Amino acid sequence: MLINYGRISFSRPSDSGGFFSNYFSVVSTMGLCLAKGLIPYIDTTNTWFNPTCNFEDDSVSDTTINPWEWWFTQQKSDQSTITEVGLDRGGISHVPSEFSSNPSLPGFQILAERFCRVKSHIVEEEELLYEQHIEGKKTLGILARGTEMLVHHLEYPKVYAKTWPDLIKLSLGTHPDINNIFLVSDDKRIVESIEEAFPQVKYLKHFFRSSDQTEEQLSNKIKPWWLFSPDNNPDHRKRVGEEALIQTRLLSKCDYFIGSHSGMSNAVNFFRKIPFKANYLV
């Protein structure tokens, strides 16, 4: 049986962005595929995640690597046709206020559940961490973005390291049933500030990446800051995507949420099945 696919792709690496910027562009485009009677097939070869990406000439040398398939399950029949479908970046806004008010969001969530099935090894790691650190507790989940969010993205508020303990204290005072704090952050300064004020906070140092990069690296406009691997791990780009999924899916299972304005906070709310008891974006 001949199957008709709509190929969702990026024309060159500089057209791509961070993990969830790419993810939401793909999900937004899936509706266009289905409207044309095509089954979505995602090709992220031409993105910064491809380890053969050359940032100077904006190209990749190995076009057989499709990073999407590191993280998500998809199958493509040999008996098929391929139709190129232009990437729709406007369907899901990266601005949190516009994201949350999008009337099409429930439909996009259904599309993602159907066509963005997370690989089983990622789900298994997530479930183990959930059982160890969140299940059975009244948990405040915190997504405290720092690093390049404090240098670029002028459209977002800036929340610095010294501010986070006060935000957490306010939340604990408002919601006295909270007995567990689960932290995700990419900035060592923020982690140290929160851990000093709340030694009991759950921050998985062995698992969640944290940046110690210089201001010069963070200001680099050519190479995305998050592609720097502090331990020179050859699988760093693959792991960045795995972590992004596990982090946001775990935070979506907390009872309360405080998050920086970012695509990751959007993803936390996108993966959430029911409303949080309280949900704060700062």
Side-chain angles (χ1 to χ4, degrees):
M1 178 180 176
L2 192 66
I3 299 177
N4 302 314
Y5 291 100
R7 189 168 81 108
I8 302 171
S9 62
F10 297 78
S11 60
R12 56 186 183 274
S14 60
D15 286 340
S16 67
F19 184 85
F20 282 112
S21 173
N22 294 345
Y23 175 86
F24 285 125
S25 293
V26 165
V27 172
S28 178
T29 310
M30 286 178 175
L32 300 180
C33 288
L34 296 178
K36 297 178 180 180
L38 304 172
I39 296 176
Y41 177 79
I42 296 86
D43 182 356
T44 58
T45 297
N46 281 321
T47 64
W48 286 327
F49 284 92
N50 189 323
T52 70
C53 175
N54 184 317
F55 295 91
E56 293 185 358
D57 65 9
D58 199 18
S59 67
V60 299
S61 58
D62 188 343
T63 58
T64 67
I65 299 174
N66 182 1
W68 184 265
E69 294 176 351
W70 293 340
W71 311 304
F72 302 98
T73 299
Q74 68 176 355
Q75 297 179 339
K76 185 164 76 70
S77 172
D78 292 334
Q79 303 295 319
S80 63
T81 65
I82 299 291
T83 301
E84 298 293 335
V85 179
L87 197 66
D88 177 17
R89 287 198 172 277
I92 303 178
S93 173
H94 69 284
V95 179
S97 59
E98 297 177 7
F99 174 89
S100 59
S101 62
N102 188 333
S104 300
L105 207 57
F108 287 130
Q109 290 171 314
I110 293 172
L111 288 177
E113 288 184 4
R114 181 179 175 187
F115 295 108
C116 303
R117 294 190 299 275
V118 178
K119 287 278 183 89
S120 59
H121 74 278
I122 299 175
V123 174
E124 289 168 4
E125 190 170 3
E126 171 208 332
E127 289 176 345
L128 179 61
L129 291 167
Y130 174 75
E131 292 171 2
Q132 292 174 338
H133 301 289
I134 296 176
E135 188 175 27
K137 304 177 179 69
K138 296 296 183 182
T139 301
L140 170 63
I142 301 168
L143 175 62
R145 288 294 313 276
T147 57
E148 102 288 2
M149 299 299 291
L150 304 179
V151 179
H152 307 301
H153 296 291
L154 299 179
E155 70 273 24
Y156 294 147
K158 308 302 178 191
V159 183
Y160 296 93
K162 63 182 180 181
T163 307
W164 280 100
D166 290 336
L167 293 173
I168 296 170
K169 289 176 185 176
L170 179 62
S171 185
L172 294 178
T174 306
H175 309 287
D177 60 323
I178 295 172
N179 58 19
N180 187 42
I181 304 174
F182 187 80
L183 170 65
V184 171
S185 181
D186 57 352
D187 194 312
K188 286 185 175 180
R189 296 163 296 183
I190 293 176
V191 174
E192 291 169 356
S193 177
I194 293 176
E195 285 187 325
E196 182 179 356
F198 303 97
Q200 77 276 24
V201 70
K202 300 287 177 59
Y203 178 76
L204 309 184
K205 293 181 176 66
H206 68 287
F207 176 73
F208 294 131
R209 62 194 167 91
S210 186
S211 175
D212 56 1
Q213 291 169 29
T214 65
E215 291 296 321
E216 181 180 359
Q217 287 174 316
L218 294 175
S219 299
N220 190 314
K221 299 286 188 178
I222 300 174
K223 186 175 182 179
W225 73 272
W226 40 265
L227 292 182
F228 289 96
S229 176
D231 55 2
N232 294 314
N233 179 2
D235 290 328
H236 175 67
R237 299 183 201 198
K238 177 181 179 182
R239 189 58 179 164
V240 164
E242 291 174 342
E243 290 180 357
L245 284 166
I246 294 171
Q247 291 166 357
T248 50
R249 286 163 63 94
L250 284 173
L251 287 168
S252 77
K253 295 179 179 180
C254 295
D255 300 283
Y256 301 89
F257 178 61
I258 304 176
S260 306
H261 281 71
S262 68
M264 289 191 70
S265 286
N266 288 346
V268 171
N269 284 285
F270 191 74
F271 295 141
R272 178 74 178 175
K273 301 299 183 183
I274 59 175
F276 287 103
K277 292 184 177 179
N279 183 359
Y280 306 102
L281 286 178
V282 295

